[in-house]
Amino acid sequence: MTHDAKRLGEFELIAKYFAPLAGKEAGAFGLKDDAAYLRPTAGKDLVLTTDAIVAGVHFLPGDPANEIAQKALRVNISDLAAKGATPRVYLLTLALPPAIDEPWLKSFAAGLKRDQAHFGVTLVGGDTVATPGPLTISVTAIGEVPQGHMLTRAGAQLEDDIWVSGTIGDAALGLRVGQGELVDFDDKHRATVLARYRVPEPRLKFGMLLHGIAHACLDVSDGLIADLGHMSEQSGLGVIVEAGAVPLSAAARAATAAKRMSLSELLTGGDDYELVVAAPVSRRKRIMALAERTKTKLSRIGRTTKGREVLVMGAGGERLNFERRGFTHF
Ligand SMILES: [Mg+2]
């Protein structure tokens, strides 16, 4: 780690809050070296992914520090889950504006500690810098899959089933709640969707076991329809989705019934961090058993077809049109 952050003194900040997160990981050297090493397990490939989150873009500036930490780590764990990988270590870069104080850092580190235990991953390095701009947190996560078995977006085959984990659209609703909208919406629903936005639940236990069963997989970050578009494009196939089969939470159903959010907004809202899986029809029972074993809600929402389009069909077989396929931050 190199360090520019002034508030605590660079070494103090690392020693007090981040070195304990490196624990006994031999290659991390207690975060006292310039670099860490990682020895891959025999017969495994390393899977590498990185995602940064920025205040005001990917989280709200007033969100609790421990939950911001969890989100930063979890969006990366979700990418590993989508690759069928088991997490091992991560690197963390923090760009801290002047307003960040010690209680904030303490809470932030506590959030990381909690999730490290939850996902079996260890901090092995990183960097802290001062910035005049918004708080920015970048995580690089490294996991492992059996050699040659990383799941990609490109492997879907014709007539595959399309499955999705969990429920779709809650984070989009949660963002609205976080922004001070939907104030008259049911309190329990408000709390549920806000939590889904702030602390997504990567489907790691399920994803880790998908290699050898799924043909293709990705996690929903841009919005279900946009991310299905990525799979369709990379696999060179079309996708037909039955809108009525897309799993919605009680909160999302209440929101659509009350016309507070449209189905289109839920399906294109993003930040769900659910897994979309393409798998052959012949493995239907296996994939359902895997979901049950890992206590993962799993829904079959469509199938791959010839062509290159993502078609969303309504209850009467009519084609639904979405003005906005997904949410992009650019
Ligand atoms: Mg992803």
Side-chain angles (χ1 to χ4, degrees):
M1 279 209 172
T2 57
H3 352 270
D4 297 333
K6 287 199 190 82
R7 66 221 84 223
L8 277 182
E10 310 144 5
F11 294 100
E12 219 184 339
L13 184 149
I14 309 288
K16 197 165 176 185
Y17 296 113
F18 297 108
L21 297 173
K24 295 190 183 79
E25 183 74 30
F29 302 105
L31 306 187
K32 289 190 177 104
D33 212 294
D34 303 295
Y37 76 83
L38 178 66
R39 187 166 301 153
T41 309
K44 302 281 174 108
D45 284 335
L46 293 177
V47 177
L48 301 97
T49 187
T50 191
D51 250 319
I53 62 171
V54 179
V57 183
H58 305 92
F59 61 93
L60 300 168
D63 286 349
N66 58 327
E67 295 187 357
I68 295 170
Q70 289 180 290
K71 185 163 192 175
L73 191 54
R74 284 170 180 232
V75 299
N76 284 276
I77 297 291
S78 178
D79 274 328
L80 291 181
K83 304 300 101 187
T86 301
R88 282 201 55 188
V89 299
Y90 71 101
L91 300 135
L92 169 72
T93 295
L94 288 173
L96 304 173
I100 296 296
D101 56 12
E102 198 167 341
W104 191 95
L105 285 162
K106 190 178 175 189
S107 167
F108 184 84
L112 290 178
K113 186 180 177 190
R114 189 180 157 179
D115 267 6
Q116 285 194 184
H118 189 52
F119 297 113
V121 69
T122 307
L123 179 67
V124 293
D127 195 9
T128 53
V129 295
T131 177
L135 171 64
T136 301
I137 302 141
S138 174
V139 168
T140 298
I142 302 170
E144 288 184 333
V145 288
Q147 249 168 40
H149 283 84
M150 187 184 93
L151 292 169
T152 69
R153 299 173 168 192
Q157 294 176 20
L158 194 59
E159 302 294 331
D160 271 352
D161 287 327
I162 298 290
W163 304 85
V164 69
S165 66
T167 54
I168 292 297
D170 299 319
L173 264 172
L175 173 60
R176 292 246 184 117
V177 170
Q179 287 171 329
E181 296 173 42
L182 303 173
V183 280
D184 58 336
F185 197 47
D186 180 275
D187 277 347
K188 213 175 106 211
H189 289 332
R190 283 167 53 85
T192 305
V193 296
L194 188 59
R196 291 270 288 159
Y197 173 74
R198 285 179 172 171
V199 186
E201 187 61 54
R203 304 301 176 183
L204 182 63
K205 284 186 183 148
F206 178 64
M208 265 164 48
L209 299 171
L210 279 175
H211 52 76
I213 298 178
H215 280 157
C217 188
L218 54 68
D219 66 329
V220 181
S221 52
D222 297 339
L224 178 66
I225 304 303
D227 283 313
L228 281 169
H230 298 144
M231 186 181 273
S232 150
E233 203 175 310
Q234 294 303 313
S235 295
L237 289 167
V239 173
I240 291 186
V241 174
E242 285 171 49
V246 175
L248 301 180
S249 67
R253 284 198 305 271
T256 48
K259 304 236 183 308
R260 308 304 300 271
M261 206 171 204
S262 68
L263 182 65
S264 153
E265 287 171 300
L266 295 171
L267 268 53
T268 58
D271 268 342
D272 297 294
Y273 300 103
E274 296 294 350
L275 296 181
V276 168
V277 182
V281 176
S282 62
R283 291 183 193 148
R284 233 174 238 184
K285 277 194 183 139
R286 265 180 88 188
I287 202 162
M288 283 160 63
L290 188 63
E292 199 173 301
R293 181 144 65 91
T294 56
K295 297 187 170 60
T296 308
K297 179 181 165 62
L298 188 69
S299 309
R300 187 155 52 85
I301 60 166
R303 61 189 167 84
T304 56
T305 61
K306 286 184 184 155
R308 294 292 162 98
E309 266 185 302
V310 178
L311 300 177
V312 185
M313 314 302 280
E318 77 284 13
R319 186 180 166 178
L320 306 180
N321 282 309
F322 290 86
E323 278 174 27
R324 210 179 56 145
R325 285 161 65 89
F327 181 72
T328 48
H329 296 295
F330 298 97

